[in-house]
Amino acid sequence: MKNKTIILLVALCLSFVSCEKFLDLNPKNEVVNDDMFSSKEGIESTLYGVYGAMKSKTLYGENLSFGIPEILANNLKAYWVYYFQHFMEYDYTHVESVNQLLRVWTNAYEVIAYCNNIIQNLEDLDPESYSLYDLYLGEAYGLRAFMHFELMKYFAPHVELYPNEEGIPYSTSYSFEHPSFYTVSQVYERIIADLKKAQELLIGDTEFMTYPRADFINGYDIRENFQKARTIHFNYYAATGTLARAYWMKGDYDKAATEAYKVINSEAFPLVTKDNVYNLMPAKLNGKETIWGIYSTDYITQTTNRLANISTGSAFTIYTPEGNNFTNYTQIYSQYSTGDGSNDNRYSGWFGDPEAATGEEDTYTTTNLLKLFNDKSISNAGAYNGYYDGISMMRIPEMYYIAAEAAIRNGSSGEATILLNAVLESRGLIALDLRNPVLVPDLDMLYNERHKEFFGEGMRWLEMKKMNMDIESNSYYATLPASNDYYVFPIPNEEYEYRND
């Protein structure tokens, strides 16, 4: 066993202390203990610590969920949150933006370093040492791939357009050496290899994650049994769904569809009925649709502080028609509407009056994104069809969209219609082939549907980057031509400076 092992204690679960040197893989707040991997409790604590680090505001507690990408996609705007206001202007050089991107980069690589430490220590052990050895190792491999994939989306050019451009460092060892930079396509090769490894190791989840899932019960301690509550772990279906995302981002649509169908056909993640759409919230891990989420009791407080209490400042809100904005949320949901009286329950359930939802007076707007904070709408919490508190990282509709895109690109409009109908009807809308006139799905319709479904969840900006879309900017009240100047964050200077030490 290696003589450097990490105990990820409460400090790591809540936040990271900055490294003394950039990308230093031995932060000062770590506790070194050779016995950490000598018990299943120790191993599980290290993995829970990784998830605790991921839920920090710097990563998925704010910046990479409803924060930076939703600002850039013109879904949300910021009040008095200085670094977010600079992102509204696509200014990545301002000191506030630079500092925030440095935190994202640093904390993401810290998470990767912790995963590498777990991998290295586990691979020094006999696989027969622990009955859940494969799950432990599979989660670490999967999370390592996931975090590199996330960094690629933001800090590297799009793989379909610039496969041979410089990407990011791909870190696979826990050491003081700086990992090498690779081209965009080479990084994707490594991401896919790690995800396939994770799939192989996590195959046991196909037994644990049937529907209905018995772990959603009142009073259940989610850490009591590592095999249960797999929704809050990077499980087999999370690895498969992320692999589908990676292939989709690369433009390998047939491979992406193959992986997406593995999740769909498992029947482990049924779509909710149209009457329960309002309960699909990023701060609640749904007992049906959530493939993977990070357990967090803090996220609902953070989203509520940012969106429900804008009279106190330091908050976000949506762009509304009343604000004379260049674009607004109603335009998104009015496209491809049926005109037959059917109701998109996402539109009616996710947008509304914050005062009605929270009981507090709001002096700024009468409409906001209730999807991010309307905790009062949650019912049946704790039941197996209910919810965990947490940050939604992947939901089943995305797999339908990925498979549908492959079908559209292959000219199989019938297959795409079946896939999209499943989601549309679950949201209260009429099937495409029952409309008058019949609507044949195309990419424009598909990406509009994705926009509607994932509004407020940090997805739209990356979809825009993939499609190299022009940006309809409310800050500039103009359309900005697609460019890497907007779509690629600059890698922090400190990364290069410390390489020259």
Side-chain angles (χ1 to χ4, degrees), residues 63-98:
N63 277 355
L64 300 186
S65 54
F66 67 91
I68 293 172
E70 289 300 294
I71 293 292
L72 295 175
N74 282 272
N75 285 339
L76 298 177
K77 59 181 174 179
Y79 282 105
W80 307 306
V81 189
Y82 297 116
Y83 59 87
F84 283 119
Q85 289 185 335
H86 297 300
F87 283 112
M88 288 172 64
E89 299 171 352
Y90 306 97
D91 180 0
Y92 310 144
T93 62
H94 190 279
V95 63
E96 295 284 353
S97 302
V98 168

Side-chain angles (χ1 to χ4, degrees), residues 225-279:
N225 188 326
F226 202 83
Q227 291 174 246
K228 294 186 177 181
R230 295 298 295 166
T231 301
I232 63 165
H233 295 262
F234 194 88
N235 56 71
Y236 169 82
Y237 297 107
T240 303
T242 305
L243 189 55
R245 282 180 178 175
Y247 281 132
W248 169 75
M249 192 67 77
K250 281 191 67 184
D252 290 342
Y253 298 105
D254 290 341
K255 290 181 179 178
T258 296
E259 301 303 322
Y261 270 121
K262 289 178 184 177
V263 185
I264 295 168
N265 293 338
S266 73
E267 299 183 352
F269 309 97
L271 292 158
V272 300
T273 62
K274 63 183 181 181
D275 294 331
N276 287 313
V277 170
Y278 65 92
N279 279 341

Side-chain angles (χ1 to χ4, degrees), residues 87-161:
F87 283 112
M88 288 172 64
E89 299 171 352
Y90 306 97
D91 180 0
Y92 310 144
T93 62
H94 190 279
V95 63
E96 295 284 353
S97 302
V98 168
N99 289 340
Q100 204 62 28
L101 293 178
L102 176 60
R103 294 185 186 102
V104 170
W105 180 269
T106 304
N107 286 322
Y109 273 108
E110 285 176 340
V111 171
I112 291 168
Y114 291 124
C115 291
N116 285 336
N117 183 69
I118 294 169
I119 291 169
Q120 289 177 204
N121 276 280
L122 286 177
E123 290 185 339
D124 276 352
L125 300 176
D126 181 351
E128 302 299 321
S129 301
Y130 301 104
S131 60
L132 301 182
Y133 177 92
D134 285 354
L135 293 187
Y136 301 150
L137 188 59
E139 287 188 35
Y141 267 105
L143 290 168
R144 181 172 81 180
F146 181 85
M147 290 309 304
H148 281 107
F149 185 32
E150 293 290 285
L151 286 165
M152 283 292 292
K153 293 176 186 177
Y154 292 102
F155 290 93
H158 177 50
V159 60
E160 285 184 276
L161 298 177

Side-chain angles (χ1 to χ4, degrees), residues 112 205 278 337 395 427-428 442 480 499:
I112 291 168
D205 281 326
Y278 65 92
S337 59
R395 293 192 290 111
R427 272 53 180 155
D442 58 16
L480 308 178
R499 287 174 179 269

Side-chain angles (χ1 to χ4, degrees), residues 271-280 289 329 332-333 335-337 343-352 368-371 395 397 401 420 422-429 435 445-455 457:
L271 292 158
V272 300
T273 62
K274 63 183 181 181
D275 294 331
N276 287 313
V277 170
Y278 65 92
N279 279 341
L280 293 174
E289 292 197 4
Y329 78 101
I332 299 162
Y333 289 87
Q335 295 181 60
Y336 301 100
S337 59
N343 182 51
D344 189 336
N345 288 350
R346 296 170 298 191
Y347 180 77
S348 59
W350 291 349
F351 299 87
N368 213 327
L369 184 55
L370 305 185
K371 178 186 187 183
R395 293 192 290 111
Y401 297 145
L420 291 173
V423 182
L424 291 167
E425 290 181 306
S426 76
R427 272 53 180 155
L429 293 165
R435 299 185 187 184
M445 180 263 171
L446 173 66
Y447 277 81
N448 174 250
E449 177 61 21
R450 291 182 65 112
H451 197 174
K452 293 174 181 176
E453 181 67 32
F454 299 119
F455 196 104
E457 297 184 47

Side-chain angles (χ1 to χ4, degrees), residues 308 351-362 365-367 370 373-377:
F351 299 87
D353 180 1
E355 184 175 352
T358 65
E360 297 179 3
E361 183 179 359
D362 173 14
T365 181
T366 58
T367 305
L370 305 185
F373 65 83
N374 189 5
D375 196 30
K376 295 183 182 299
S377 71

